Structure formats: C-alpha cells, structure tokens
Amino acid sequence: EVQLVESGGGLVQPGGSLRVSCAASGFTFSSYEMNWVRQAPGKGLEWVSYISSSGTTIYYADSVKGRFTISRDNAKNSLYLQMNSLRAEDTAVYYCARDGSTVTTFNWFDPWGQGTLVTVSS
Amino acid sequence: DIQMTQSPSTLSASVGDRVTITCRASQSISSWLAWYQQKPGKAPKLLIYKASSLESGVPSRFSGSGSGTEFTLTISSLQPDDFATYYCQQYNSYTRTFGQGTKVEIK
C-alpha cells in the first residue's frame, strides 16, 4: 500500500524553528517528485514547496521563500521541511504529497499524507 | 503565478441533485487541472486529473470537463458521502496553485 506519514509537528514560538518529516512506503520513493502543501485552520490549500526526485530542483511559494528548506533522503525514503523564522501565519496542517506520475513533467498530487499540525504561538 | 478562482464558494444541494462547480484559471493551463475532495479532518483525495480523467476507484457520478481557462466538476446525482469541500488545482508549472474551495452543504 502506498503510504505517506508525516511527523514532527507541534507548538513553536514566533521566530522559532521546526522540522517536519514525511516517511514514504509502498512505492519507489527515489523515482517520484514530492511536495509540501499546507492548510491553515478553516482555510484552503496552499502549495508550499516542490523537490525533484533527485533533490536537485527545488521550488518554493513566495510566502515561505528564504525561511523554509525542503530536502529528501532517498536512502531513508523520507522527505523533510525545515521551517525557520516561523510566524503566526505559518500555523497550519502540513501535508506531504507525491506527484501523481513519473511520466509527465508537471503532475497532480496523489497520494497525500494525513498531515501534521504546526502551531506558531507564544 | 497562475491564479485559480472557483465558484460558488458554497453550494447547498439535496441528495440526487446534479451539482456543477466551476474553476477558472488566470491564464491558459491546457488540460493540466485536477480536482480533489476533502472532508473535515482528512487529507484531500484525488478525484479527477488532466481535467477529465477519472481517478481509479472514484465513482462514475463524478466527471470533469474543460480546457484552457475554464473547467467544471460535475456530480451527476449527489450522494450523502459527497457532502464535502472540493478544490481545483492547476499543474501547468512547478508552482502549482489551488482554487479557494467549494463547500457542498446539505440543503
């Protein structure tokens, strides 16, 4: 079964740092591009970051550029999001999501993990 | 970045109704559009990709159409399990964007 499981969320003070992780199983992780998507409480979905299968190509949403760093460890089947200089507006459930295909350049997201809640508050 | 606008934001409907949700892109995205269903406290679930391709296991009452800048998601006969929030997403570039969501409520 293809599965993504996030971990590492929690409460952090404004200006602080946190790293969330996503453990992948049931598929060849090193073949797929991966993404982070977040959802603030009661709000819609916001794409946060993309990383290519090899980790050499990375993109960020403007709202997190310069503060967040996406990375992956293909040997450990794991995806990471290092979040620094956190702000109250970064409070959200953070989902990891796999690109839906290895054939086309740009893809839909499938599957998604269950999400991990990050709360930025003093 | 490409902006995605969904309408309506909220939709009240009854079981058995035909429901249509519209998604408009700020520039042409060809057919690079997906639709997701999300229920409270759950991760989004893929329904449709490439504008009209039905994901495996998704009931055939769901269908998608459109290309360029205007797209629709149609539920032919609304079922109790379909009350949820629906999002469109463009994937015409690495910076993928979502619509703001359409909540389908019980009338």
PDB file of all heavy atoms in Angstrom, chain A residues 1 7 20 23 25 27 30 36 45-46 48 50 53-54 61-62 67 74 87 93 100 114 117 122:
ATOM      1  N   GLU A   1       0.842  -1.189   0.000  1.00  0.00           N
ATOM      2  CA  GLU A   1       0.000   0.000   0.000  1.00  0.00           C
ATOM      3  C   GLU A   1       0.881   1.244   0.000  1.00  0.00           C
ATOM      4  O   GLU A   1       1.794   1.383   0.808  1.00  0.00           O
ATOM      5  CB  GLU A   1      -0.898   0.005   1.235  1.00  0.00           C
ATOM      6  CG  GLU A   1      -1.793   1.225   1.352  1.00  0.00           C
ATOM      7  CD  GLU A   1      -2.416   1.362   2.740  1.00  0.00           C
ATOM      8  OE1 GLU A   1      -2.088   0.543   3.627  1.00  0.00           O
ATOM      9  OE2 GLU A   1      -3.212   2.297   2.934  1.00  0.00           O
ATOM     10  N   SER A   7       5.313  13.610  10.414  1.00  0.00           N
ATOM     11  CA  SER A   7       5.574  13.704  11.841  1.00  0.00           C
ATOM     12  C   SER A   7       6.366  14.974  12.116  1.00  0.00           C
ATOM     13  O   SER A   7       6.866  15.607  11.180  1.00  0.00           O
ATOM     14  CB  SER A   7       6.349  12.481  12.334  1.00  0.00           C
ATOM     15  OG  SER A   7       7.604  12.395  11.672  1.00  0.00           O
ATOM     16  N   VAL A  20       9.625  19.234  10.015  1.00  0.00           N
ATOM     17  CA  VAL A  20       8.638  18.179   9.862  1.00  0.00           C
ATOM     18  C   VAL A  20       9.151  17.167   8.842  1.00  0.00           C
ATOM     19  O   VAL A  20       9.932  17.515   7.953  1.00  0.00           O
ATOM     20  CB  VAL A  20       7.255  18.720   9.446  1.00  0.00           C
ATOM     21  CG1 VAL A  20       6.654  19.537  10.584  1.00  0.00           C
ATOM     22  CG2 VAL A  20       7.321  19.545   8.189  1.00  0.00           C
ATOM     23  N   ALA A  23       7.509  10.122   6.027  1.00  0.00           N
ATOM     24  CA  ALA A  23       8.036   8.795   5.724  1.00  0.00           C
ATOM     25  C   ALA A  23       7.190   8.147   4.647  1.00  0.00           C
ATOM     26  O   ALA A  23       5.959   8.055   4.789  1.00  0.00           O
ATOM     27  CB  ALA A  23       8.049   7.948   6.985  1.00  0.00           C
ATOM     28  N   SER A  25       6.317   4.890   1.993  1.00  0.00           N
ATOM     29  CA  SER A  25       6.407   3.441   1.863  1.00  0.00           C
ATOM     30  C   SER A  25       5.454   2.964   0.777  1.00  0.00           C
ATOM     31  O   SER A  25       4.509   3.660   0.409  1.00  0.00           O
ATOM     32  CB  SER A  25       6.075   2.752   3.191  1.00  0.00           C
ATOM     33  OG  SER A  25       4.759   3.069   3.606  1.00  0.00           O
ATOM     34  N   PHE A  27       6.143   2.369  -2.403  1.00  0.00           N
ATOM     35  CA  PHE A  27       6.500   2.748  -3.769  1.00  0.00           C
ATOM     36  C   PHE A  27       7.980   3.114  -3.809  1.00  0.00           C
ATOM     37  O   PHE A  27       8.618   3.253  -2.753  1.00  0.00           O
ATOM     38  CB  PHE A  27       5.634   3.920  -4.268  1.00  0.00           C
ATOM     39  CG  PHE A  27       5.825   5.227  -3.534  1.00  0.00           C
ATOM     40  CD1 PHE A  27       6.630   6.234  -4.045  1.00  0.00           C
ATOM     41  CD2 PHE A  27       5.177   5.457  -2.330  1.00  0.00           C
ATOM     42  CE1 PHE A  27       6.794   7.436  -3.374  1.00  0.00           C
ATOM     43  CE2 PHE A  27       5.330   6.652  -1.644  1.00  0.00           C
ATOM     44  CZ  PHE A  27       6.147   7.649  -2.168  1.00  0.00           C
ATOM     45  N   SER A  30      12.511   7.133  -4.592  1.00  0.00           N
ATOM     46  CA  SER A  30      13.542   7.858  -5.344  1.00  0.00           C
ATOM     47  C   SER A  30      13.121   8.190  -6.773  1.00  0.00           C
ATOM     48  O   SER A  30      13.796   8.960  -7.458  1.00  0.00           O
ATOM     49  CB  SER A  30      14.846   7.066  -5.360  1.00  0.00           C
ATOM     50  OG  SER A  30      14.635   5.800  -5.965  1.00  0.00           O
ATOM     51  N   TRP A  36       5.253  19.722  -0.463  1.00  0.00           N
ATOM     52  CA  TRP A  36       4.591  20.065   0.794  1.00  0.00           C
ATOM     53  C   TRP A  36       3.443  21.031   0.474  1.00  0.00           C
ATOM     54  O   TRP A  36       3.608  21.962  -0.320  1.00  0.00           O
ATOM     55  CB  TRP A  36       5.561  20.712   1.771  1.00  0.00           C
ATOM     56  CG  TRP A  36       6.536  19.762   2.389  1.00  0.00           C
ATOM     57  CD1 TRP A  36       7.841  19.577   2.039  1.00  0.00           C
ATOM     58  CD2 TRP A  36       6.288  18.863   3.480  1.00  0.00           C
ATOM     59  NE1 TRP A  36       8.415  18.618   2.824  1.00  0.00           N
ATOM     60  CE2 TRP A  36       7.496  18.158   3.722  1.00  0.00           C
ATOM     61  CE3 TRP A  36       5.183  18.580   4.288  1.00  0.00           C
ATOM     62  CZ2 TRP A  36       7.618  17.190   4.731  1.00  0.00           C
ATOM     63  CZ3 TRP A  36       5.291  17.617   5.276  1.00  0.00           C
ATOM     64  CH2 TRP A  36       6.497  16.936   5.497  1.00  0.00           C
ATOM     65  N   LEU A  45      -6.270  25.190   0.659  1.00  0.00           N
ATOM     66  CA  LEU A  45      -4.973  24.542   0.464  1.00  0.00           C
ATOM     67  C   LEU A  45      -3.980  25.503  -0.167  1.00  0.00           C
ATOM     68  O   LEU A  45      -4.333  26.254  -1.084  1.00  0.00           O
ATOM     69  CB  LEU A  45      -5.138  23.317  -0.439  1.00  0.00           C
ATOM     70  CG  LEU A  45      -6.108  22.252   0.079  1.00  0.00           C
ATOM     71  CD1 LEU A  45      -6.406  21.239  -1.019  1.00  0.00           C
ATOM     72  CD2 LEU A  45      -5.537  21.563   1.298  1.00  0.00           C
ATOM     73  N   GLU A  46      -2.740  25.469   0.305  1.00  0.00           N
ATOM     74  CA  GLU A  46      -1.671  26.306  -0.238  1.00  0.00           C
ATOM     75  C   GLU A  46      -0.448  25.438  -0.512  1.00  0.00           C
ATOM     76  O   GLU A  46       0.129  24.853   0.406  1.00  0.00           O
ATOM     77  CB  GLU A  46      -1.285  27.430   0.740  1.00  0.00           C
ATOM     78  CG  GLU A  46      -0.173  28.318   0.222  1.00  0.00           C
ATOM     79  CD  GLU A  46       0.353  29.320   1.246  1.00  0.00           C
ATOM     80  OE1 GLU A  46       0.079  29.147   2.454  1.00  0.00           O
ATOM     81  OE2 GLU A  46       1.042  30.269   0.845  1.00  0.00           O
ATOM     82  N   VAL A  48       3.322  24.694  -0.898  1.00  0.00           N
ATOM     83  CA  VAL A  48       4.449  25.306  -0.196  1.00  0.00           C
ATOM     84  C   VAL A  48       5.767  25.094  -0.931  1.00  0.00           C
ATOM     85  O   VAL A  48       6.539  26.047  -1.115  1.00  0.00           O
ATOM     86  CB  VAL A  48       4.560  24.735   1.241  1.00  0.00           C
ATOM     87  CG1 VAL A  48       5.842  25.199   1.921  1.00  0.00           C
ATOM     88  CG2 VAL A  48       3.334  25.114   2.055  1.00  0.00           C
ATOM     89  N   TYR A  50       8.294  22.223  -3.663  1.00  0.00           N
ATOM     90  CA  TYR A  50       8.478  21.071  -4.560  1.00  0.00           C
ATOM     91  C   TYR A  50       9.937  20.669  -4.558  1.00  0.00           C
ATOM     92  O   TYR A  50      10.829  21.520  -4.479  1.00  0.00           O
ATOM     93  CB  TYR A  50       8.058  21.470  -5.970  1.00  0.00           C
ATOM     94  CG  TYR A  50       8.668  20.635  -7.074  1.00  0.00           C
ATOM     95  CD1 TYR A  50       7.997  19.535  -7.588  1.00  0.00           C
ATOM     96  CD2 TYR A  50       9.921  20.965  -7.608  1.00  0.00           C
ATOM     97  CE1 TYR A  50       8.563  18.771  -8.597  1.00  0.00           C
ATOM     98  CE2 TYR A  50      10.490  20.201  -8.615  1.00  0.00           C
ATOM     99  CZ  TYR A  50       9.805  19.107  -9.109  1.00  0.00           C
ATOM    100  OH  TYR A  50      10.369  18.356 -10.113  1.00  0.00           O
ATOM    101  N   SER A  53      12.938  14.351  -7.971  1.00  0.00           N
ATOM    102  CA  SER A  53      13.237  13.012  -7.460  1.00  0.00           C
ATOM    103  C   SER A  53      14.679  12.904  -6.960  1.00  0.00           C
ATOM    104  O   SER A  53      14.948  12.219  -5.965  1.00  0.00           O
ATOM    105  CB  SER A  53      12.977  11.956  -8.530  1.00  0.00           C
ATOM    106  OG  SER A  53      13.706  12.249  -9.714  1.00  0.00           O
ATOM    107  N   SER A  54      15.578  13.603  -7.610  1.00  0.00           N
ATOM    108  CA  SER A  54      16.991  13.548  -7.211  1.00  0.00           C
ATOM    109  C   SER A  54      17.338  14.588  -6.150  1.00  0.00           C
ATOM    110  O   SER A  54      18.410  14.541  -5.548  1.00  0.00           O
ATOM    111  CB  SER A  54      17.888  13.780  -8.428  1.00  0.00           C
ATOM    112  OG  SER A  54      17.666  15.084  -8.941  1.00  0.00           O
ATOM    113  N   ALA A  61       6.940  28.473  -2.571  1.00  0.00           N
ATOM    114  CA  ALA A  61       5.973  29.561  -2.653  1.00  0.00           C
ATOM    115  C   ALA A  61       6.633  30.833  -2.120  1.00  0.00           C
ATOM    116  O   ALA A  61       7.505  30.768  -1.236  1.00  0.00           O
ATOM    117  CB  ALA A  61       4.736  29.224  -1.824  1.00  0.00           C
ATOM    118  N   ASP A  62       6.240  31.968  -2.650  1.00  0.00           N
ATOM    119  CA  ASP A  62       6.819  33.244  -2.214  1.00  0.00           C
ATOM    120  C   ASP A  62       6.656  33.447  -0.710  1.00  0.00           C
ATOM    121  O   ASP A  62       7.513  34.065  -0.067  1.00  0.00           O
ATOM    122  CB  ASP A  62       6.173  34.409  -2.966  1.00  0.00           C
ATOM    123  CG  ASP A  62       6.604  34.473  -4.422  1.00  0.00           C
ATOM    124  OD1 ASP A  62       7.626  33.828  -4.773  1.00  0.00           O
ATOM    125  OD2 ASP A  62       5.926  35.149  -5.215  1.00  0.00           O
ATOM    126  N   ARG A  67      12.869  31.193   4.117  1.00  0.00           N
ATOM    127  CA  ARG A  67      12.657  30.748   5.505  1.00  0.00           C
ATOM    128  C   ARG A  67      12.542  29.229   5.610  1.00  0.00           C
ATOM    129  O   ARG A  67      12.930  28.648   6.630  1.00  0.00           O
ATOM    130  CB  ARG A  67      11.386  31.384   6.070  1.00  0.00           C
ATOM    131  CG  ARG A  67      11.397  32.900   6.100  1.00  0.00           C
ATOM    132  CD  ARG A  67      10.167  33.457   6.814  1.00  0.00           C
ATOM    133  NE  ARG A  67       8.912  33.070   6.186  1.00  0.00           N
ATOM    134  CZ  ARG A  67       7.940  32.400   6.794  1.00  0.00           C
ATOM    135  NH1 ARG A  67       8.069  32.033   8.052  1.00  0.00           N
ATOM    136  NH2 ARG A  67       6.820  32.103   6.148  1.00  0.00           N
ATOM    137  N   ASN A  74      16.710   9.853  -0.096  1.00  0.00           N
ATOM    138  CA  ASN A  74      16.148   8.714  -0.825  1.00  0.00           C
ATOM    139  C   ASN A  74      16.544   7.383  -0.206  1.00  0.00           C
ATOM    140  O   ASN A  74      15.831   6.387  -0.343  1.00  0.00           O
ATOM    141  CB  ASN A  74      16.557   8.774  -2.299  1.00  0.00           C
ATOM    142  CG  ASN A  74      15.810   9.866  -3.057  1.00  0.00           C
ATOM    143  OD1 ASN A  74      14.762  10.337  -2.619  1.00  0.00           O
ATOM    144  ND2 ASN A  74      16.347  10.278  -4.195  1.00  0.00           N
ATOM    145  N   ARG A  87       6.290  32.298  11.728  1.00  0.00           N
ATOM    146  CA  ARG A  87       5.349  33.371  12.023  1.00  0.00           C
ATOM    147  C   ARG A  87       3.990  32.768  12.363  1.00  0.00           C
ATOM    148  O   ARG A  87       3.707  31.615  12.018  1.00  0.00           O
ATOM    149  CB  ARG A  87       5.192  34.272  10.799  1.00  0.00           C
ATOM    150  CG  ARG A  87       6.490  34.789  10.214  1.00  0.00           C
ATOM    151  CD  ARG A  87       6.271  35.360   8.828  1.00  0.00           C
ATOM    152  NE  ARG A  87       7.496  35.877   8.233  1.00  0.00           N
ATOM    153  CZ  ARG A  87       7.630  36.182   6.954  1.00  0.00           C
ATOM    154  NH1 ARG A  87       6.597  36.031   6.117  1.00  0.00           N
ATOM    155  NH2 ARG A  87       8.784  36.655   6.503  1.00  0.00           N
ATOM    156  N   VAL A  93      -1.919  22.822   9.097  1.00  0.00           N
ATOM    157  CA  VAL A  93      -1.621  21.407   8.923  1.00  0.00           C
ATOM    158  C   VAL A  93      -0.725  21.309   7.688  1.00  0.00           C
ATOM    159  O   VAL A  93      -1.055  21.870   6.633  1.00  0.00           O
ATOM    160  CB  VAL A  93      -2.896  20.572   8.724  1.00  0.00           C
ATOM    161  CG1 VAL A  93      -2.546  19.131   8.362  1.00  0.00           C
ATOM    162  CG2 VAL A  93      -3.757  20.615   9.984  1.00  0.00           C
ATOM    163  N   GLY A 100       1.725  12.695  -8.966  1.00  0.00           N
ATOM    164  CA  GLY A 100       0.899  11.553  -9.358  1.00  0.00           C
ATOM    165  C   GLY A 100       1.462  10.692 -10.467  1.00  0.00           C
ATOM    166  O   GLY A 100       0.952   9.611 -10.729  1.00  0.00           O
ATOM    167  N   GLN A 114      -1.453  12.171   6.007  1.00  0.00           N
ATOM    168  CA  GLN A 114      -2.566  12.564   6.870  1.00  0.00           C
ATOM    169  C   GLN A 114      -2.373  13.963   7.465  1.00  0.00           C
ATOM    170  O   GLN A 114      -3.307  14.537   8.012  1.00  0.00           O
ATOM    171  CB  GLN A 114      -2.759  11.533   7.997  1.00  0.00           C
ATOM    172  CG  GLN A 114      -1.920  11.766   9.247  1.00  0.00           C
ATOM    173  CD  GLN A 114      -0.434  11.462   9.067  1.00  0.00           C
ATOM    174  OE1 GLN A 114      -0.015  10.915   8.048  1.00  0.00           O
ATOM    175  NE2 GLN A 114       0.370  11.812  10.073  1.00  0.00           N
ATOM    176  N   LEU A 117       0.176  18.977  12.365  1.00  0.00           N
ATOM    177  CA  LEU A 117      -0.200  20.344  12.726  1.00  0.00           C
ATOM    178  C   LEU A 117       0.986  21.095  13.308  1.00  0.00           C
ATOM    179  O   LEU A 117       1.618  20.633  14.266  1.00  0.00           O
ATOM    180  CB  LEU A 117      -1.355  20.321  13.720  1.00  0.00           C
ATOM    181  CG  LEU A 117      -1.807  21.681  14.274  1.00  0.00           C
ATOM    182  CD1 LEU A 117      -2.330  22.576  13.159  1.00  0.00           C
ATOM    183  CD2 LEU A 117      -2.867  21.483  15.360  1.00  0.00           C
ATOM    184  N   SER A 122       2.968  32.258  20.941  1.00  0.00           N
ATOM    185  CA  SER A 122       3.712  32.485  22.179  1.00  0.00           C
ATOM    186  C   SER A 122       2.866  32.097  23.399  1.00  0.00           C
ATOM    187  O   SER A 122       3.318  32.205  24.528  1.00  0.00           O
ATOM    188  CB  SER A 122       4.134  33.952  22.274  1.00  0.00           C
ATOM    189  OG  SER A 122       3.015  34.799  22.142  1.00  0.00           O
TER     190      SER A 122
END
